[in-house]
Amino acid sequence: MPLRDFLTPDEPLGPIRHERILRRRAYDQQDEDPVNLLIYQAEPFDLALHDLHPIILGRRGSGKTAIVAAMLAGSGRKHYFYGRDDAINDNHDIYVFIQSWDHLDEIVNLVGIDCYHSLGSQPMWDDLLPETAARFWARHLWQAIFNQIFRDASSESNPIDYRSKLPLVFKFIEGRDIIDPRESITSETLQKAFELTRDSVLKYLSATKRRCFVIIDSLDLYPITSPRFSRILAGLLRCITNFSDSYDRVKIYCCVPEEVEPHLFTHVANETRDLSPATSYSRLHWKPVDLLKIVAERFREFLKIHLAEDQNFIADISKLNFSHRDNLMTFYGAVMPKYVTNKYGQKEDSVAYLVRHSQLLPRELILLFSRAISISHQETASWRTITSSAIVKAVDESESALARQILRPYMPVYKELIIACEHVLSELPTICTLSELHSVGKRMRKSVSMETDDPWRTLYEIGVLGFIDPDESNRNTQYYEYGLFHFNSHNKIRFANHLRYCVHPLFSGTWHLKRAPGMKFIYPSKIEESYWD
């Protein structure tokens, strides 16, 4: 697919969903496959992909599915499906993708049935141990591997004769001759047949120096309040770490939304042992500079296509290496003004203005810049630069949609809390004291008592509420106070009289919080001393 078809006047920076780019070729006439052409060597993405930790944690929009799509590219499959994918692999390695809700839910149900029977005559899901659920998960994931081998064998393009090399797999799937006729069919004999089949796959992988990958990317539709689901999924996390220790050539990778992390990790027996960040998971956190590189690379490619007549300008920006801070700053200085005047009449650095109206997710910065580019073109009939007014208008038009994106994963669980925010938080100033929180706290708790005992802590976990970083209190800036939110600080929120609290700019703007004259604006703390570094 030509790059021109990705970078259009309607979508100047291309698709927000990165996996669409990763899974499709940018050039029809060449063999070159520029996987990272529009995802410009982003450090969080590359680290998560190359560290190969089995659990990939990140919020919706952080790039988890893009990592899965990169793994999918290695499988040799030609397409990426959001529905259930029964496509075969063309690669010699074995890839099993559980990338749709119905596929995962089918396995959850099978594991759940096994767990249910293991709990005895009066099953209570709260009594289910992660070790028990992990054991059942292992069996059903091996079954998924057997099924994939069976499907791969049906492909005419697959050069491997799996039927002759792995006959036990086909006997197991087809249910033929898996039990010695002299033996009774019991759970023990069936388990023995399963173990022999599993061991035959392990021996094959070892002898041929091939690998098997099981990749799970379907946890976004999570019923996290269900004890059954949360207990069973906690068993999956234990199973994943067990697989990493038990099998050198079989690996499981699971994308876990940060939104569900607290609900799952509380059921892990020993979080320190089972979920070490050094060995168990990668967390996708983005710095502004990584996001600005992605935007710059995409915008430059767009300009090469749609501003081809300005050869001198194209030649100048083509020389820039966005891995160098000075080059990145030069590009932004060439395509947008240094400052904007925000809707409150105050002057701000234009890049900082866009960055602070995000929670540092790729889709947010791409959407904001893309909208600003389009509005600027409507104003000037030129793609050459982005105007100050277009930047402010893009933020004003986009912040409600971005706020809804952040809140959407939480709506099934905290619907009343989110509805209450619009009415209750609007009575607060953007930056407030603990006593001001207390002044509306009683009414907030009354509205949401069935969903959460502590709405302020829940809003912190969602990314709505934060607190002013006390370590930055001596940092005297003209425009900003520095806020700690869940997305830029994994410390728990503290409530004390000496601290001040804040609402993220996306929500303070969407819900029209009070703003006193001269009040400073909220900028995420500890993301970097400068957003260029």
Side-chain angles (χ1 to χ4, degrees), residues 88-115:
I88 57 88
N89 301 312
D90 294 330
N91 191 291
H92 289 186
D93 291 330
I94 299 168
Y95 287 80
V96 182
F97 288 91
I98 301 170
Q99 58 194 57
S100 66
W101 174 249
D102 68 314
H103 194 178
L104 176 66
D105 194 45
E106 177 184 302
I107 299 176
V108 169
N109 282 333
L110 293 171
V111 175
I113 290 169
D114 290 342
C115 292

Side-chain angles (χ1 to χ4, degrees), residues 24 86 105 179 244 316 322 329 338 344 347 363 376 384 394 440 480 526:
R24 300 172 74 174
D86 289 330
D105 194 45
I179 303 294
S244 298
D316 288 341
F322 295 146
M329 294 174 68
K338 174 65 176 172
Y344 299 102
K347 187 172 73 170
R363 67 172 60 169
S376 182
R384 174 66 172 73
V440 298
Y480 302 124
K526 298 191 186 309

